Amino acid sequence: MEQQSLEHLDSFRNLARKIKSYHEAIGLLHWDLRTGAPKKGVPTRSETIGMLSTEAFKLQTSVEMKTYLDTLTNPEVLKQLEDTDRRLVEDCKKEYDRSQSVPPEKVQAYTVLTAKSETAWEDAKHNSDFDGFSPYLTEIVKLKQEFIDYWGVKNTRYDTLLDMYEPDLTVEKVDAVFARLKARLVPLQEKINASENKPNTEFLNQLFDTEQQEKFSLFILEQMGYDFDAGRLDESVHPFATGLNPGDVRITTNYLQDDVTSAVFSSLHEGGHALYEQNIDESLAGTLLAEGTSMGIHESQSRLWENMIGRSRPFWTRYYKDLQQHFPQLSEVALEDFYRAINRVESSLIRIEADELTYNLHIIIRYEIEKMLFNEGLEVKDLPETWNAKYKEYLGIVPPNDGLGVLQDVHWSGGDFGYFASYSLGNMYAAQILHTLRKEMPEFDTHIAEGNLIPIKEWLTDKIYRYGKSRTPSELILAVTGEELNPDYLADYLEAKYTEIYKL
């Protein structure tokens, strides 16, 4: 490689590291906003986040970045780069091409708005006050539509947003996958609804001490290999994970006094995200590749740990006695009854508390509403009515208020349109990965039943976690499983599981 290219590569790495440092600082400020920052500090904190985000954006779209990318994306130079450097260059080039036409002042206005909006959403959700939140959301959607014009419309406007979270994902692909999934899951749900062998869940409807919930959540996170020297568990209105760097990956959960399962499964879910980020190879630390390769792959790990491990019979064979020690009111409830209760299938209002089967319907509802917002002209003021109509159509229930309906998720307050499809993609990826994992680790269930979760974490680290963003989602799923995304694995998994539970 010629001398100028080498110099540009070193300078490019330094610039990318500087951008990553900004992202880490911004991530820490966001985490603080959502875990107890004083309300009176929100306006100034939001302005600070906006300013730092704008500086990072300016670096990402700078003349300096363009100069380095022009040199390093030359085909003769690119093929001489190490795999990690080549992936970093390609990733930065895609981001540069997408963002270089966006005015920095628009980025700053948007970032300040979403920082304030997330705090406003917390109050709106608590008070079921959509009208109070609507002005924020209206402005977010307006700016997002402007950004789509700057970025360039793909096949549809909504395709542009999907690509932000799952590279090359399109409405056409999602529609096809969801249709294939619904064709198998809807008949399964009908069989379950008609079954007389429904689990008893009454014993879950009692009060559970929140301090004990926290202790049990910490215990389970430790068991699955979450490194508390590289992270921490806090409480927030909506559980989330923040990966600042592999040595600092923080998670939150939410403790509900009348629902012991909510914190347990949200801790497992966010713990799955955290294991991914904590176990990215050290060689990627400090680079823009030290993060999950896509939200779909990221969600595959949270859903794998939460459901396919955390809701399995072997898992509770090992950990149910520990749960009973924390909550003596469960001491007379048999393991099998508890297992069936936590895997009940029923229409419910809240996405994060939905069963594995109907969860995908919650996602399809949000996906269809987002398509309507960006492709079909749905107005923000009409969201509650549309939301309620979709819930009645797909789940046969109508939210009694907007706090339990259209305001339940944090995502739109942060402008994360296009994100929700990743959850169902994550379910599909997870089932496909699980199929391979079981083949390569025949003792999988035995490990779980013995509380030996570390070999599973190590297998996932070797196959997925360590690569961070250095492999694309399609490259990764193909390398791990030998085939592209296949929704049949999820349908197979759900049919087998619920046929046994409901004795279909």
Side-chain angles (χ1 to χ4, degrees):
M1 193 183 300
E2 64 183 55
Q3 184 63 31
Q4 185 189 36
S5 297
L6 284 171
E7 290 174 358
H8 278 190
L9 179 59
D10 287 339
S11 298
F12 166 74
R13 286 171 177 159
N14 290 334
L15 180 57
R17 186 176 293 273
K18 187 174 183 180
I19 294 169
K20 179 65 175 177
S21 296
Y22 271 102
H23 288 175
E24 181 168 336
I26 294 162
L28 185 59
L29 291 174
H30 267 297
W31 170 83
D32 184 60
L33 265 184
R34 293 170 63 186
T35 54
K39 284 190 176 182
K40 289 184 178 180
V42 169
T44 302
R45 176 64 54 81
S46 300
E47 296 289 342
T48 301
I49 290 172
M51 187 174 294
L52 292 176
S53 297
T54 304
E55 291 305 306
F57 178 81
K58 287 178 179 177
L59 292 175
Q60 182 71 58
T61 57
S62 63
V63 173
E64 184 182 5
M65 177 63 82
K66 182 180 186 303
T67 300
Y68 301 148
L69 291 175
D70 284 347
T71 299
L72 297 172
T73 54
N74 180 297
E76 290 302 312
V77 175
L78 196 61
K79 69 182 182 182
Q80 296 180 60
L81 298 179
E82 297 289 338
D83 287 347
T84 299
D85 286 327
R86 183 166 56 252
R87 177 75 175 119
L88 182 58
V89 167
E90 290 171 344
D91 196 60
C92 283
K93 180 67 164 64
K94 180 179 180 179
E95 186 62 37
Y96 177 87
D97 289 344
R98 179 164 53 200
S99 302
Q100 52 86 23
S101 61
V102 181
E105 61 270 20
K106 287 285 185 183
V107 174
Q108 183 160 355
Y110 174 80
T111 307
V112 172
L113 172 64
T114 52
K116 292 178 179 177
S117 172
E118 288 183 5
T119 301
W121 165 79
E122 291 185 7
D123 290 335
K125 178 182 177 180
H126 179 73
N127 297 316
S128 190
D129 178 19
F130 184 80
D131 289 342
F133 180 63
S134 181
Y136 292 94
L137 193 54
T138 299
E139 188 62 23
I140 289 172
V141 171
K142 176 176 174 289
L143 283 172
K144 211 75 174 182
Q145 291 280 26
E146 291 181 25
F147 286 152
I148 290 172
D149 289 327
Y150 287 123
W151 292 326
V153 177
K154 293 185 177 293
N155 296 327
T156 74
R157 301 185 69 80
Y158 190 52
D159 283 332
T160 308
L161 301 180
L162 289 173
D163 183 68
M164 304 287 286
Y165 299 99
E166 196 72 16
D168 301 321
L169 189 66
T170 65
V171 165
E172 184 179 9
K173 290 179 182 178
V174 178
D175 284 349
V177 169
F178 279 172
R180 195 165 152 188
L181 200 58
K182 280 194 291 187
R184 292 183 63 182
L185 297 192
V186 171
L188 177 59
Q189 186 178 7
E190 290 172 351
K191 289 181 183 178
I192 290 171
N193 290 342
S195 172
E196 296 180 357
N197 297 298
K198 291 184 169 57
N200 172 26
T201 61
E202 288 183 6
F203 56 83
L204 294 177
N205 300 322
Q206 49 186 318
L207 297 182
F208 298 89
D209 182 75
T210 54
E211 288 186 14
Q212 291 300 315
Q213 289 189 45
E214 180 182 12
K215 288 179 181 178
F216 187 76
S217 294
L218 291 167
F219 167 67
I220 289 298
L221 287 166
E222 184 179 30
Q223 289 287 297
M224 62 193 285
Y226 178 72
D227 184 357
F228 281 97
D229 287 336
R232 52 184 289 157
L233 175 67
D234 292 275
E235 186 175 5
S236 64
V237 174
H238 191 106
F240 68 96
T242 295
L244 302 175
N245 62 66
D248 190 349
V249 185
R250 307 174 183 206
I251 61 177
T252 72
T253 191
N254 183 237
Y255 305 107
L256 303 177
Q257 195 173 22
D258 60 351
D259 185 357
V260 70
T261 62
S262 180
V264 171
F265 291 118
S266 65
S267 295
L268 280 161
H269 181 100
E270 303 306 335
H273 282 306
L275 290 185
Y276 193 168
E277 300 265 339
Q278 284 186 341
N279 291 284
I280 291 171
D281 193 89
E282 289 182 3
S283 65
L284 300 178
T287 77
L288 294 169
L289 301 179
E291 58 185 61
T293 187
S294 74
M295 287 316 305
I297 297 295
H298 230 312
E299 290 300 333
S300 78
Q301 296 314 293
S302 57
R303 304 296 287 175
L304 178 66
W305 282 99
E306 175 192 359
N307 291 325
M308 296 169 186
I309 295 173
R311 291 185 193 268
S312 71
R313 184 180 277 107
F315 185 86
W316 291 106
T317 298
R318 165 61 184 85
Y319 293 109
Y320 188 47
K321 287 184 178 178
D322 293 291
L323 187 73
Q324 288 174 317
Q325 288 177 0
H326 285 81
F327 304 102
Q329 60 266 54
L330 296 175
S331 60
E332 300 301 318
V333 178
L335 167 61
E336 183 64 15
D337 292 337
F338 179 78
Y339 167 71
R340 295 187 74 224
I342 62 171
N343 284 292
R344 68 194 180 279
V345 173
E346 62 182 15
S347 296
S348 59
L349 294 170
I350 307 301
R351 173 186 62 84
I352 64 171
E353 293 164 18
D355 58 80
E356 291 181 81
L357 179 57
T358 62
Y359 183 92
N360 297 287
L361 298 178
H362 288 261
I363 296 305
I364 290 170
I365 288 169
R366 289 155 176 76
Y367 166 73
E368 291 183 353
I369 290 174
E370 289 187 350
K371 275 200 303 181
M372 293 170 71
L373 269 174
F374 289 94
N375 286 352
E376 300 167 29
L378 177 67
E379 295 186 28
V380 167
K381 67 180 178 61
D382 297 321
L383 277 173
E385 181 181 355
T386 304
W387 181 284
N388 293 350
K390 290 282 184 185
Y391 263 75
K392 185 172 184 180
E393 176 188 355
Y394 281 99
L395 293 164
I397 52 178
V398 177
N401 59 63
D402 290 335
L404 295 172
V406 70
L407 288 171
Q408 68 177 266
D409 297 299
V410 68
H411 303 64
W412 291 348
S413 71
D416 292 332
F417 293 97
Y419 186 138
F420 279 117
S422 301
Y423 287 110
S424 275
L425 285 175
N427 288 337
M428 296 178 222
Y429 282 134
Q432 192 166 332
I433 291 166
L434 178 65
H435 179 76
T436 300
L437 176 50
R438 284 185 177 281
K439 283 197 301 184
E440 296 190 5
M441 188 184 291
E443 63 277 27
F444 175 78
D445 286 334
T446 303
H447 279 324
I448 297 174
E450 293 174 350
N452 188 19
L453 304 180
I454 301 305
I456 298 170
K457 187 201 85 167
E458 290 174 345
W459 187 93
L460 292 166
T461 296
D462 180 59
K463 301 288 187 180
I464 299 170
Y465 301 163
R466 66 190 177 104
Y467 293 105
K469 204 177 181 181
S470 65
R471 287 184 171 181
T472 66
S474 56
E475 288 171 345
L476 197 64
I477 197 68
L478 190 60
V480 175
T481 70
E483 60 180 305
E484 297 287 352
L485 175 64
N486 182 347
D488 289 339
Y489 287 107
L490 177 60
D492 290 343
Y493 161 80
L494 293 172
E495 285 174 355
K497 179 171 186 173
Y498 287 114
T499 295
E500 189 268 335
I501 289 174
Y502 279 85
K503 301 176 174 57
L504 302 179

